[in-house]
Amino acid sequence: MTNYWQILQCPYQGMTQTLYLEAKSLELIALFLDAIDDGGTAQPVFHRDDLERIHQARQILQSNLQTPPSLIDLARQVGLNDRKLKEGFRQVFNTTVFGYLTQQRMEKACQLLGQQRSVAAVAAIVGYASPTAFSGAFRRKFGITPKAYQLANCRGA
């Protein structure tokens, strides 16, 4: 029996009927939204050339952790518009451009802290304007300060 007929043939009375009809109405709304959402969630299809440009953008970020280009400049360097670059990065690498940059900076920071470099030096090398900004970002990512991480000899990172 379809939802339509279930609503018309409601077997309940009183408060139970009201609750039943509300539930069926919500079910119909959910089915409708699911049906219209199927067309809108398709991932954009990227051509091979676009994928190469997205990978090139990743290389540029990896090579320029200290002074990365802005999103607009990065898109221009690889010949994409910023929207396509953002969508492509999310689809290909499952993160945002900024998220990827932060991830790479933190990975490099762990390597450098393991070499017993000072926190200030590591902050500068991975592109933070101040050791305080770096320490805050590091603590948000790993749950401990860079110094504590260093003292633990980069275990558990």
PDB file of all heavy atoms in Angstrom, residues 17 26 58 75 112 120 128 130-131 142 152:
ATOM      1  N   GLN A  17      -4.289   8.899  15.690  1.00  0.00           N
ATOM      2  CA  GLN A  17      -4.502   9.249  14.282  1.00  0.00           C
ATOM      3  C   GLN A  17      -3.679  10.477  13.905  1.00  0.00           C
ATOM      4  O   GLN A  17      -3.031  10.503  12.861  1.00  0.00           O
ATOM      5  CB  GLN A  17      -5.983   9.508  14.011  1.00  0.00           C
ATOM      6  CG  GLN A  17      -6.258   9.884  12.560  1.00  0.00           C
ATOM      7  CD  GLN A  17      -7.700  10.265  12.313  1.00  0.00           C
ATOM      8  OE1 GLN A  17      -8.388  10.789  13.203  1.00  0.00           O
ATOM      9  NE2 GLN A  17      -8.178   9.995  11.105  1.00  0.00           N
ATOM     10  N   LEU A  26       5.584  13.473   7.268  1.00  0.00           N
ATOM     11  CA  LEU A  26       7.047  13.637   7.316  1.00  0.00           C
ATOM     12  C   LEU A  26       7.745  12.621   6.413  1.00  0.00           C
ATOM     13  O   LEU A  26       8.740  12.935   5.762  1.00  0.00           O
ATOM     14  CB  LEU A  26       7.549  13.521   8.755  1.00  0.00           C
ATOM     15  CG  LEU A  26       7.195  14.685   9.671  1.00  0.00           C
ATOM     16  CD1 LEU A  26       7.605  14.373  11.112  1.00  0.00           C
ATOM     17  CD2 LEU A  26       7.863  15.965   9.196  1.00  0.00           C
ATOM     18  N   ARG A  58      48.722  21.158  -5.873  1.00  0.00           N
ATOM     19  CA  ARG A  58      49.213  20.503  -4.657  1.00  0.00           C
ATOM     20  C   ARG A  58      50.732  20.586  -4.574  1.00  0.00           C
ATOM     21  O   ARG A  58      51.294  20.883  -3.523  1.00  0.00           O
ATOM     22  CB  ARG A  58      48.762  19.041  -4.626  1.00  0.00           C
ATOM     23  CG  ARG A  58      49.267  18.306  -3.376  1.00  0.00           C
ATOM     24  CD  ARG A  58      48.911  16.880  -3.383  1.00  0.00           C
ATOM     25  NE  ARG A  58      49.620  16.210  -4.467  1.00  0.00           N
ATOM     26  CZ  ARG A  58      49.718  14.911  -4.594  1.00  0.00           C
ATOM     27  NH1 ARG A  58      49.125  14.107  -3.726  1.00  0.00           N
ATOM     28  NH2 ARG A  58      50.381  14.378  -5.590  1.00  0.00           N
ATOM     29  N   ALA A  75      45.168  29.369  -8.221  1.00  0.00           N
ATOM     30  CA  ALA A  75      44.292  28.991  -9.339  1.00  0.00           C
ATOM     31  C   ALA A  75      44.831  29.555 -10.655  1.00  0.00           C
ATOM     32  O   ALA A  75      44.855  28.854 -11.671  1.00  0.00           O
ATOM     33  CB  ALA A  75      42.866  29.493  -9.073  1.00  0.00           C
ATOM     34  N   LEU A 112      60.604  18.539  11.710  1.00  0.00           N
ATOM     35  CA  LEU A 112      61.589  19.506  12.193  1.00  0.00           C
ATOM     36  C   LEU A 112      61.712  19.477  13.709  1.00  0.00           C
ATOM     37  O   LEU A 112      62.827  19.593  14.252  1.00  0.00           O
ATOM     38  CB  LEU A 112      61.219  20.914  11.711  1.00  0.00           C
ATOM     39  CG  LEU A 112      61.257  21.107  10.193  1.00  0.00           C
ATOM     40  CD1 LEU A 112      60.630  22.439   9.805  1.00  0.00           C
ATOM     41  CD2 LEU A 112      62.683  21.004   9.672  1.00  0.00           C
ATOM     42  N   ALA A 120      60.479  28.355  17.552  1.00  0.00           N
ATOM     43  CA  ALA A 120      60.466  29.580  16.749  1.00  0.00           C
ATOM     44  C   ALA A 120      60.986  29.316  15.331  1.00  0.00           C
ATOM     45  O   ALA A 120      60.415  29.804  14.351  1.00  0.00           O
ATOM     46  CB  ALA A 120      61.293  30.665  17.426  1.00  0.00           C
ATOM     47  N   TYR A 128      54.527  30.279   9.606  1.00  0.00           N
ATOM     48  CA  TYR A 128      53.718  31.014  10.576  1.00  0.00           C
ATOM     49  C   TYR A 128      54.410  32.318  10.928  1.00  0.00           C
ATOM     50  O   TYR A 128      55.628  32.367  11.075  1.00  0.00           O
ATOM     51  CB  TYR A 128      53.460  30.168  11.829  1.00  0.00           C
ATOM     52  CG  TYR A 128      52.388  29.132  11.578  1.00  0.00           C
ATOM     53  CD1 TYR A 128      52.713  27.892  11.026  1.00  0.00           C
ATOM     54  CD2 TYR A 128      51.057  29.399  11.853  1.00  0.00           C
ATOM     55  CE1 TYR A 128      51.728  26.954  10.759  1.00  0.00           C
ATOM     56  CE2 TYR A 128      50.068  28.457  11.589  1.00  0.00           C
ATOM     57  CZ  TYR A 128      50.415  27.248  11.044  1.00  0.00           C
ATOM     58  OH  TYR A 128      49.439  26.318  10.774  1.00  0.00           O
ATOM     59  N   SER A 130      54.298  33.971  13.648  1.00  0.00           N
ATOM     60  CA  SER A 130      54.837  34.017  15.009  1.00  0.00           C
ATOM     61  C   SER A 130      54.818  32.629  15.627  1.00  0.00           C
ATOM     62  O   SER A 130      53.986  31.788  15.263  1.00  0.00           O
ATOM     63  CB  SER A 130      54.006  34.971  15.880  1.00  0.00           C
ATOM     64  OG  SER A 130      52.758  34.383  16.195  1.00  0.00           O
ATOM     65  N   PRO A 131      55.716  32.390  16.577  1.00  0.00           N
ATOM     66  CA  PRO A 131      55.701  31.108  17.288  1.00  0.00           C
ATOM     67  C   PRO A 131      54.381  30.881  18.031  1.00  0.00           C
ATOM     68  O   PRO A 131      53.916  29.749  18.147  1.00  0.00           O
ATOM     69  CB  PRO A 131      56.866  31.223  18.273  1.00  0.00           C
ATOM     70  CG  PRO A 131      57.776  32.233  17.663  1.00  0.00           C
ATOM     71  CD  PRO A 131      56.881  33.203  16.952  1.00  0.00           C
ATOM     72  N   PHE A 142      47.109  18.643  17.257  1.00  0.00           N
ATOM     73  CA  PHE A 142      47.612  17.456  17.942  1.00  0.00           C
ATOM     74  C   PHE A 142      47.225  17.350  19.414  1.00  0.00           C
ATOM     75  O   PHE A 142      47.474  16.332  20.041  1.00  0.00           O
ATOM     76  CB  PHE A 142      49.138  17.391  17.820  1.00  0.00           C
ATOM     77  CG  PHE A 142      49.609  17.232  16.407  1.00  0.00           C
ATOM     78  CD1 PHE A 142      50.255  18.271  15.762  1.00  0.00           C
ATOM     79  CD2 PHE A 142      49.407  16.056  15.714  1.00  0.00           C
ATOM     80  CE1 PHE A 142      50.700  18.138  14.454  1.00  0.00           C
ATOM     81  CE2 PHE A 142      49.842  15.912  14.409  1.00  0.00           C
ATOM     82  CZ  PHE A 142      50.485  16.955  13.771  1.00  0.00           C
ATOM     83  N   ALA A 152      58.472  14.729  23.889  1.00  0.00           N
ATOM     84  CA  ALA A 152      58.043  13.331  23.775  1.00  0.00           C
ATOM     85  C   ALA A 152      58.739  12.657  22.589  1.00  0.00           C
ATOM     86  O   ALA A 152      58.429  11.504  22.281  1.00  0.00           O
ATOM     87  CB  ALA A 152      56.539  13.267  23.613  1.00  0.00           C
TER      88      ALA A 152
END
